[in-house]
Amino acid sequence: MTTDSVRSILKSANFNYSEECRLGRIRFRISAATSSVADAFRTSGMVCEPSPSNNSLHLSLFAHSLRHNLAGAMSVEVVFADSTLHNLKPVALTQPIDVVYTWVDSEDPQWQRDYAEALALHGPSSPRTSSDIIRFQDRDELKYSLRALEMFAPWVNHIFIVTSGQVPPWLDLDNPQITLVSHTEIFEQQADLPTFNSHAIEANLHRIPGLSEHFLYFNDDVFLADWTTPETFFTPNGETKFFESENHVPSDPSVTDLPSNWAAFNNKKLLEESFKYIATKKFKHTAHAQRLTTLQKAATHFREKVEETTAKKFRNRSDISLPSNLAHHFGAIIGTAVASDIRYRYIDINSARVDVELSRLLLWDDPTIFCLNQVTSRIYPDKSEVTMIRNFLEKYFPWKSSAEL
């Protein structure tokens, strides 16, 4: 819509222009004075913001002062003739970058039967937080995460959604950019299925057929919130970037510790035993940049632990977490991953102030990416919780993506 409006205004004002596509967005190059171009757009009712270098304008149909991240994502860039292409920052990483999501629908009757059977057999030996049904609840997060992805990372090559054979009812199966992948396609031992262990599923993502060398691994509760480029997640040479949190790996986790803490602890032991490498910090709940070959090498090097993790029906204290933790450290050791940082917000849905935190995120906070996480069920469940999250996501990401029917 904004692009068509820009074309119409440029033609009406008799400006000579050309178009180019950069990172999934149209850019217009124009031979005219900056002031006259800006005046033409403002007269037509468009919001017009100059870039810091004053060699381009960002145009939008609504105010940048309100949700400027959305305004920026929906804006169109006009570059002036006195700013040559070599003055613009090039995109160094030109290889395709895929995205992998893991998703589950706990309302599916077959899934519920399988879950009940596995819970009866394996639940007593698993940490309570591993089998808590809240871990599998779907609030349509995937739908909104895909909206965010299309809005803030249109340069993504292909999207793989890994499920237990389920299909989101709103998903457009005819979209050529999306492929559904069943657990049966990536698990070597079918006896390990069905699984309810996220560590087991992610430990086999490197087996996805057709997956590109560079990809991002998303949980469906992770959302982009501002414009990104490949260099948000990868270096110009293609190394992955990882984002350490302020939380340290526990040195002596207790039996009541979360399975994710146990996995980080187990990863730390493996790295120290194999490479004398000391891992001290955990990682932020963001999209995890991956190199397929690095993931494959890590899975081969730690094959015994990968197989042990894969065999567990629910997350277990003996698990490792491969792409979300171990592969980052492994990549740092072999020279394919580097530490970096990203603007980030983490919100615990169980927080007593979750409504306040969501309001701040919607109105004031300025992250590049955020996570809405829930570790355990509330003691007194609030039925309005699902409605609250869905309403927030609908307000934050109001436009349907091409992934939706």
Side-chain angles (χ1 to χ4, degrees):
M1 181 178 175
T2 306
T3 303
D4 291 338
S5 299
V6 170
R7 291 192 185 101
S8 176
I9 293 168
L10 290 175
K11 289 177 181 177
S12 298
N14 294 318
F15 290 126
N16 293 320
Y17 70 92
S18 61
E19 298 182 26
E20 62 188 36
C21 186
R22 177 180 168 86
L23 297 177
R25 299 171 77 178
I26 297 296
R27 169 190 285 158
F28 293 86
R29 288 183 58 79
I30 184 169
S31 300
T34 305
S35 58
S36 61
V37 175
D39 287 344
F41 285 115
R42 290 192 179 106
T43 301
S44 299
M46 297 193 76
V47 176
C48 184
E49 274 194 356
S51 69
S53 59
N54 290 319
N55 62 7
S56 65
L57 297 173
H58 290 274
L59 309 167
S60 178
L61 292 176
F62 56 97
H64 285 223
S65 59
L66 178 64
R67 296 294 309 284
H68 75 88
N69 56 345
L70 293 187
M74 301 294 287
S75 69
V76 172
E77 186 176 17
V78 174
V79 181
F80 295 99
D82 58 356
S83 139
T84 57
L85 283 178
H86 67 264
N87 288 331
L88 301 173
K89 187 177 180 180
V91 180
L93 182 62
T94 57
Q95 293 96 335
I97 300 172
D98 292 340
V99 164
V100 174
Y101 280 98
T102 52
W103 178 78
V104 66
D105 177 13
S106 62
E107 299 300 314
D108 175 43
Q110 182 59 54
W111 184 94
Q112 291 178 342
R113 287 191 290 270
D114 291 339
Y115 168 80
E117 182 179 339
L119 188 63
L121 291 173
H122 307 282
S125 62
S126 303
R128 185 182 68 84
T129 54
S130 296
S131 55
D132 192 329
I133 192 65
I134 201 67
R135 290 196 52 77
F136 311 100
Q137 185 175 18
D138 179 36
R139 306 178 188 87
D140 287 336
E141 291 99 334
L142 176 62
K143 178 170 69 176
Y144 295 102
S145 188
L146 285 168
R147 288 185 183 185
L149 188 71
E150 186 167 279
M151 185 176 297
F152 297 122
W155 41 267
V156 163
N157 174 58
H158 197 81
I159 300 166
F160 297 89
I161 303 174
V162 179
T163 82
S164 62
Q166 302 165 317
V167 180
W170 46 262
L171 185 68
D172 183 1
L173 296 178
D174 293 327
N175 188 317
Q177 196 184 8
I178 297 175
T179 298
L180 286 173
V181 180
S182 172
H183 295 167
T184 58
E185 297 180 64
I186 61 174
F187 275 63
E188 281 189 313
Q189 303 299 323
Q190 297 302 298
D192 294 332
L193 297 174
T195 187
F196 308 90
N197 183 350
S198 58
H199 291 151
I201 297 167
E202 70 171 37
N204 290 277
L205 297 182
H206 60 283
R207 304 183 191 280
I208 294 174
L211 185 59
S212 294
E213 166 67 8
H214 297 83
F215 71 96
L216 300 174
Y217 165 43
F218 276 78
N219 289 134
D220 65 357
D221 60 359
V222 171
F223 308 85
L224 294 180
D226 207 348
W227 177 253
T228 64
T229 71
E231 290 186 359
T232 306
F233 302 101
F234 298 90
T235 71
N237 293 325
E239 294 97 344
T240 59
K241 294 181 179 180
F242 54 79
F243 311 115
E244 291 180 317
S245 77
E246 296 303 313
N247 299 320
H248 287 76
V249 179
S251 57
D252 185 23
S254 69
V255 292
T256 59
D257 256 312
L258 295 174
S260 58
N261 286 338
W262 274 96
F265 173 73
N266 295 331
N267 297 338
K268 179 180 179 178
K269 285 200 304 181
L270 287 177
L271 293 164
E272 190 169 359
E273 291 168 359
S274 296
F275 304 107
K276 307 301 181 187
Y277 175 95
I278 306 299
T280 59
K281 291 185 177 180
K282 298 171 65 179
F283 295 96
K284 295 176 179 177
H285 289 66
T286 66
H288 297 282
Q290 306 289 323
R291 289 281 294 268
L292 181 60
T293 51
T294 298
L295 203 54
Q296 290 169 334
K297 289 175 182 177
T300 299
H301 188 90
F302 301 110
R303 184 175 181 84
E304 183 177 336
K305 289 298 293 184
V306 168
E307 291 177 348
E308 182 182 350
T309 298
T310 300
K312 295 289 192 267
K313 294 294 185 182
F314 295 98
R315 296 201 301 178
N316 193 275
R317 296 184 186 96
S318 64
D319 284 355
I320 59 171
S321 45
L322 185 56
S324 57
N325 185 300
L326 185 57
H328 295 321
H329 294 302
F330 188 83
I333 291 169
I334 66 174
T336 60
V338 296
S340 189
D341 200 9
I342 193 169
R343 299 196 319 273
Y344 164 75
R345 281 281 278 125
Y346 174 89
I347 293 181
D348 180 1
I349 296 174
N350 272 352
S351 168
R353 291 171 48 84
V354 63
D355 53 344
V356 176
E357 294 187 46
L358 291 176
S359 296
R360 285 188 56 185
L361 182 57
L362 182 66
L363 298 173
W364 298 297
D365 288 353
D366 189 30
T368 300
I369 196 166
F370 66 87
C371 175
L372 305 181
N373 191 235
Q374 186 167 15
V375 177
T376 60
S377 301
R378 292 178 183 269
I379 298 176
Y380 303 105
D382 184 353
K383 292 183 179 180
S384 66
E385 182 181 277
V386 173
T387 301
M388 176 183 64
I389 298 301
R390 283 179 174 156
N391 286 344
F392 164 78
L393 291 172
E394 183 64 33
K395 289 176 181 177
Y396 208 103
F397 306 109
W399 293 286
K400 289 176 64 173
S401 74
S402 62
E404 297 171 52
L405 293 170

